Amino acid sequence: MSKRRVLITGGAGFLGSHLCDRFLAEGFEVVCMDNLITGDLRNIEHLFGNSSFHFYNQDVTEFIHVPGDLYAVLHFASPASPIDYLELPIQTLKVGSLGTHKALGLARSKGARFLLASTSECYGDPLVHPQREDYWGNVNPVGPRGVYDEAKRFAEAMTMAYHRYHKLETRIIRIFNTYGPRMRLNDGRALPAFMSQALRGEDVTVFGDGSQTRSFCYVDDLVEGIYRLLHSNEVYPTNIGNPAEMTIRDFAEEVVKLCGSKSKLVFKPLPEDDPKVRQPDITKARRVLGWEPKVDLATGLERTLAYFRSRLELVPAGKPGQKPSDKRA
Ligand code: UDP
């Protein structure tokens, strides 16, 4: 019997590339699609010798064609950091709306399962804490993050419409802050910023007074949650994230300490609409998927540090605002 095939859009990105690894390890054939705006071939170059792996350099907002059968479509293509939304606002809106429509249409034509990578950003600057899946959120549609938040909210609505109207088997994951190897060094997110700055001995830039909170999940835990959700029967959105909440200031101090760095924290203005708190309620994931995170922060940060050290030896210092399409870092 031929192997079951999955399509992973955004497969050359941070999360997408880890998914490619996982599905290949599970014996699937993997079709990875990416237009490399924020994805990076270095994340998947170790897979090019594998005959079960295929790479299509394509923009998923255009008509997408994949020959042969597909068991599942996992839609992970999207810019995904606040700096990326600022630099790529139209692409962010297009991939969440047009790209999701194209990926759904392909899944329907193949009779494939569809899994949407959605986000805790659907909750915006939340007024309910921790966030449960039945909270509808507090999103500013016209702020700088609106391009991402509203695109993903639209994508969820479109996914549910395909489920209800076309009877497509669909799954929606709401991903909370995730970290690990293959994050872009200069994408402006907290972990890459803090770790790169600490390793270079530069000031570590904490936005606001650092009292805003986040809850960080190691990438392997997230991938396990995605894999289980795809094979579950749960149609409505499911939070996957690590509920261990901490202030960004404490997080920055933890990273500096781990790096053995003498870097000092410096405080910069808080970006517009930066959520004040964020913590997933994972009651549903525990109940429906039997899933919970296993990797603690110290272990996850150690593994990530090894990656950052190896990458920083290879690339010159870059600015946090560096264009995502600039592949030097
Ligand atoms: N942050 C920070 N310094 C940085 C980058 C980010 O203090 O150099 C803060 C940011 O304002 C936010 C938190 O860290 O409060 C997490 O930011 P990130 O961009 O990683 O993710 P998101 O805001 O989407 O959760």
Side-chain angles (χ1 to χ4, degrees):
M1 204 182 90
S2 61
K3 286 185 176 179
R4 289 193 294 184
R5 304 170 82 219
V6 296
L7 169 67
I8 301 171
T9 77
F14 163 47
L15 298 181
S17 64
H18 284 280
L19 282 173
C20 290
D21 288 342
R22 175 65 188 262
F23 277 86
L24 286 166
E26 297 284 349
F28 287 84
E29 196 170 328
V30 170
V31 180
C32 164
M33 190 173 278
D34 206 297
N35 66 356
L36 303 177
I37 292 187
T38 57
D40 192 326
L41 285 179
R42 280 175 299 203
N43 292 337
I44 50 169
E45 65 188 3
H46 60 290
L47 301 176
F48 279 106
N50 187 330
S51 59
S52 294
F53 180 74
H54 314 276
F55 174 65
Y56 290 20
N57 185 340
Q58 196 177 320
D59 181 344
V60 295
T61 65
E62 308 288 338
F63 181 81
I64 47 180
H65 174 70
V66 175
D69 293 339
L70 283 178
Y71 163 74
V73 174
L74 293 96
H75 184 40
F76 276 71
S78 179
S81 83
I83 280 190
D84 291 348
Y85 324 144
L86 284 177
E87 294 193 346
L88 304 164
I90 316 287
Q91 287 96 327
T92 303
L93 281 159
K94 281 177 71 180
V95 76
S97 53
L98 305 180
T100 301
H101 188 209
K102 295 284 184 288
L104 280 162
L106 178 72
R108 184 176 167 229
S109 75
K110 303 282 186 188
R113 266 177 194 224
F114 179 86
L115 184 143
L116 173 70
S118 187
T119 168
S120 57
E121 283 285 323
C122 287
Y123 303 120
D125 191 1
L127 305 176
V128 169
H129 190 67
Q131 291 76 56
R132 272 171 40 142
E133 291 88 348
D134 54 7
Y135 174 50
W136 292 349
N138 177 39
V139 170
N140 174 6
V142 295
R145 302 171 87 107
V147 297
Y148 184 61
D149 302 8
E150 295 295 4
K152 289 293 189 182
R153 288 166 67 96
F154 174 92
E156 288 196 2
M158 186 62 124
T159 301
M160 290 307 298
Y162 264 68
H163 174 72
R164 293 195 178 106
Y165 190 72
H166 291 307
K167 310 287 179 238
L168 191 69
E169 281 286 353
T170 58
R171 310 286 179 261
I172 299 173
I173 175 177
R174 290 198 181 134
I175 299 171
F176 283 67
N177 293 68
T178 302
Y179 69 99
R182 303 190 196 148
M183 291 186 96
R184 276 211 334 275
L185 266 52
N186 291 324
D187 76 356
R189 280 188 276 196
L191 181 122
F194 296 163
M195 206 166 257
S196 304
Q197 290 160 343
L199 286 173
R200 290 180 171 131
E202 297 168 359
D203 288 344
V204 167
T205 54
V206 173
F207 297 159
D209 63 4
S211 63
Q212 69 273 31
T213 68
R214 294 293 185 274
S215 311
F216 293 94
C217 183
Y218 187 65
V219 63
D220 290 358
D221 282 332
L222 185 90
V223 166
E224 179 64 29
I226 295 167
Y227 195 81
R228 290 189 190 200
L229 181 64
L230 178 70
H231 295 99
S232 78
N233 293 320
E234 183 55 38
V235 170
Y236 284 92
T238 305
N239 290 337
I240 299 284
N242 191 323
E245 182 184 18
M246 65 196 303
T247 67
I248 287 299
R249 187 189 176 128
D250 286 349
F251 184 60
E253 281 169 353
E254 189 78 24
V255 172
V256 172
K257 194 169 82 191
L258 178 86
C259 293
S261 167
K262 295 197 168 55
S263 290
K264 303 219 166 5
L265 305 195
V266 294
F267 295 87
K268 304 271 181 187
L270 192 66
E272 199 179 332
D273 296 334
D274 198 289
K276 285 179 273 307
V277 290
R278 182 179 290 154
Q279 182 191 30
D281 182 321
I282 59 164
T283 309
K284 180 176 173 182
R286 281 198 174 103
R287 176 171 44 84
V288 176
L289 309 177
W291 176 90
E292 62 181 8
K294 298 270 186 276
V295 182
D296 63 27
L297 189 67
T299 310
L301 284 179
E302 281 288 354
R303 294 183 196 166
T304 310
L305 181 60
Y307 172 80
F308 272 68
R309 276 196 208 284
S310 68
R311 289 281 288 111
L312 281 170
E313 279 166 17
L314 300 174
V315 290
K319 296 192 229 28
Q322 197 170 3
K323 278 196 168 39
S325 54
D326 186 335
K327 293 299 171 195
R328 281 174 306 165

